[in-house]
Amino acid sequence: MDRSLAPCLRGEPRGSLSDVARGRPAGGARGASSTRLRIAVAADVEFLCHGFLRASQPLALLATWVAEGPPGAAPARSPRARLSEERLAAAATRVRLLDEAETDALRERVDDQLLAALELDGWTVLFCPCHRPAPGTFQEDRIALCPPGGEFETILMSDPWNGHVMPIDGDAALFRIVARFWRELLDRNGLDVVFTNPRDTDDEDDEDDEDDEEPGAGSTSLRAWLEFPLSYYLPPFPAIDWRVYDRSEDDFIADFSFWADGPFGMSPELQARFEAAIATHYHAYVRALIDPELAPRAE
């Protein structure tokens, strides 16, 4: 089965983006009013209605080009945090993997999808990838964090329909540093945990497709999961515009948050709770264990 995307941009004499959107950009918006765009995509992909919303690109791409014009070069970003070998080596001597009894208690009290948990200087992080056999496998992946003497809050969720993971502050670059920190702690102490991802099965619609050679369910590990690789069954979106979808990294970490921009339809009260947890949990964790000089995110 051919699931490749073949996008191309080229000049077109008719049909500007402003015609499509039935609106005109503000004056001086980088010449968007004269921009002509045609996107030709050949793909063996079935789009549902929600596939054209912000997180899935097509309408976001149109809106961005109408409002701002085509992209220039992506700006160079300075990292908000730096993971030093000195701090990493020291943390690796203090971290521990919670034992089976502690993990079972947290499954009962906090998250029944919990696979493994790390404790470091009073901070506890829960890794909750989808790993249980059917029934009940269609859940999002989650990571939760608890400060010393505090309560757990979710700091990452996946979109179970599309596969990408969304950090609580919507900053993919920062979360890559945090995920690397966890992978290094697992590697240096031999703490990796093997599990089976029940999502890695062929769709029923593909059962009769002799050309479909996608892998079935198989073993993976906590460390491999923390790489957040692109899913084999989702063709990557084309790197047309870095403002809408940045493909400079070979992973599936989204540059937007699960509580404000994700597909879950959270209440205002729950959104306010997650917004507060950015500072009290996630960024406090980074400052305490990774880089005390965490910088504000550049707009």
Side-chain angles (χ1 to χ4, degrees), residues 30-186:
R30 293 196 288 182
S33 60
S34 62
T35 298
R36 311 292 180 183
L37 170 69
R38 177 177 176 183
I39 305 174
V41 177
D44 183 13
V45 179
E46 181 178 339
F47 283 102
L48 302 178
C49 59
H50 58 262
F52 289 89
L53 300 178
R54 176 177 179 182
S56 296
Q57 316 324 310
L59 287 186
L61 181 64
L62 292 175
T64 300
W65 279 53
V66 167
E68 303 178 20
R77 297 180 180 178
S78 299
R80 297 176 59 192
R82 298 183 185 276
L83 180 56
S84 71
E85 173 58 29
E86 180 181 4
R87 293 185 67 87
L88 182 56
T93 66
R94 305 191 308 272
V95 69
R96 71 182 185 95
L97 186 73
L98 269 59
D99 63 29
E100 184 175 351
E102 293 171 306
T103 303
D104 285 341
L106 287 170
R107 285 195 191 103
E108 183 71 23
R109 182 170 66 89
V110 182
D111 194 322
D112 62 1
Q113 190 166 273
L114 174 62
L115 173 70
L118 290 178
E119 189 275 330
L120 176 60
D121 294 353
W123 289 85
T124 304
V125 56
L126 307 184
F127 302 108
C128 308
C130 177
H131 69 281
R132 295 173 301 178
T137 59
F138 192 72
Q139 290 193 44
E140 72 280 355
D141 298 336
R142 300 179 287 271
I143 295 177
L145 188 62
C146 181
E151 298 294 330
F152 283 97
E153 289 289 359
T154 301
I155 63 164
L156 176 127
M157 294 176 73
S158 72
D159 180 341
W161 296 275
N162 296 302
H164 52 265
V165 297
M166 300 162 284
I168 189 171
D169 67 345
D171 188 341
L174 176 60
F175 185 73
R176 290 184 183 104
I177 295 171
V178 178
R180 181 191 158 206
F181 178 67
W182 291 329
R183 293 195 305 269
E184 290 282 351
L185 294 180
L186 295 173

Side-chain angles (χ1 to χ4, degrees), residues 10-17 19-20 35-38:
R10 57 180 179 269
E12 188 70 11
R14 298 187 302 275
S16 69
L17 284 174
D19 294 332
V20 175
T35 298
R36 311 292 180 183
L37 170 69
R38 177 177 176 183

